[in-house]
Amino acid sequence: MRILITGANGQLGVALQRALSDHELTLIDLPAVDITDRDALAAVFAAAGPELVVHCAAYTDVDGCARNPEMAYRVNAYGTQNVALACQNAGAALVHISTNEVFAGD
């Protein structure tokens, strides 16, 4: 199966690489691909043709999110929306991994 993993350099992304190593993996993370950049994301999806996307990318610094809620929203909401729309356009299934912390703007 062709699987794309966002946030591939993070703790979960690295663990998934090991667990899914018998599949064809496309691994994306900063700085090469920013999920808030819809065009860059579309280009990766077009090249990789994923059947499944495991979305692990997020702004996970709890204190940083509290200090910069706009950034948290941009990455965790709009970035995730970009991934979901790219999956829809590619006909790929999406697995979204989230944390126990949720950040929203005022």
Side-chain angles (χ1 to χ4, degrees), residues 38-82:
R38 188 176 291 184
D39 293 334
L41 203 54
V44 169
F45 272 70
E51 299 167 279
L52 173 68
V53 174
V54 183
H55 178 43
C56 306
Y59 185 26
T60 60
D61 175 0
V62 174
D63 293 332
C65 288
R67 284 189 305 274
N68 192 347
E70 295 83 16
M71 168 78 91
Y73 194 81
R74 186 168 59 86
V75 173
N76 295 340
Y78 289 128
T80 298
Q81 179 182 37
N82 289 342

Side-chain angles (χ1 to χ4, degrees), residues 1-105:
M1 177 177 277
R2 290 183 314 276
I3 302 172
L4 186 147
I5 300 173
T6 69
N9 295 336
Q11 184 177 359
L12 180 58
V14 170
L16 285 170
Q17 290 176 54
R18 287 191 299 267
L20 301 171
S21 63
D22 56 336
H23 295 275
E24 182 181 331
L25 301 180
T26 299
L27 310 172
I28 65 171
D29 209 324
L30 291 173
V33 180
D34 183 344
I35 63 168
T36 66
D37 182 341
R38 188 176 291 184
D39 293 334
L41 203 54
V44 169
F45 272 70
E51 299 167 279
L52 173 68
V53 174
V54 183
H55 178 43
C56 306
Y59 185 26
T60 60
D61 175 0
V62 174
D63 293 332
C65 288
R67 284 189 305 274
N68 192 347
E70 295 83 16
M71 168 78 91
Y73 194 81
R74 186 168 59 86
V75 173
N76 295 340
Y78 289 128
T80 298
Q81 179 182 37
N82 289 342
V83 172
L85 290 171
C87 287
Q88 182 179 35
N89 291 337
L94 172 63
V95 175
H96 178 219
I97 309 297
S98 187
T99 68
N100 64 332
E101 300 288 338
V102 177
F103 301 95

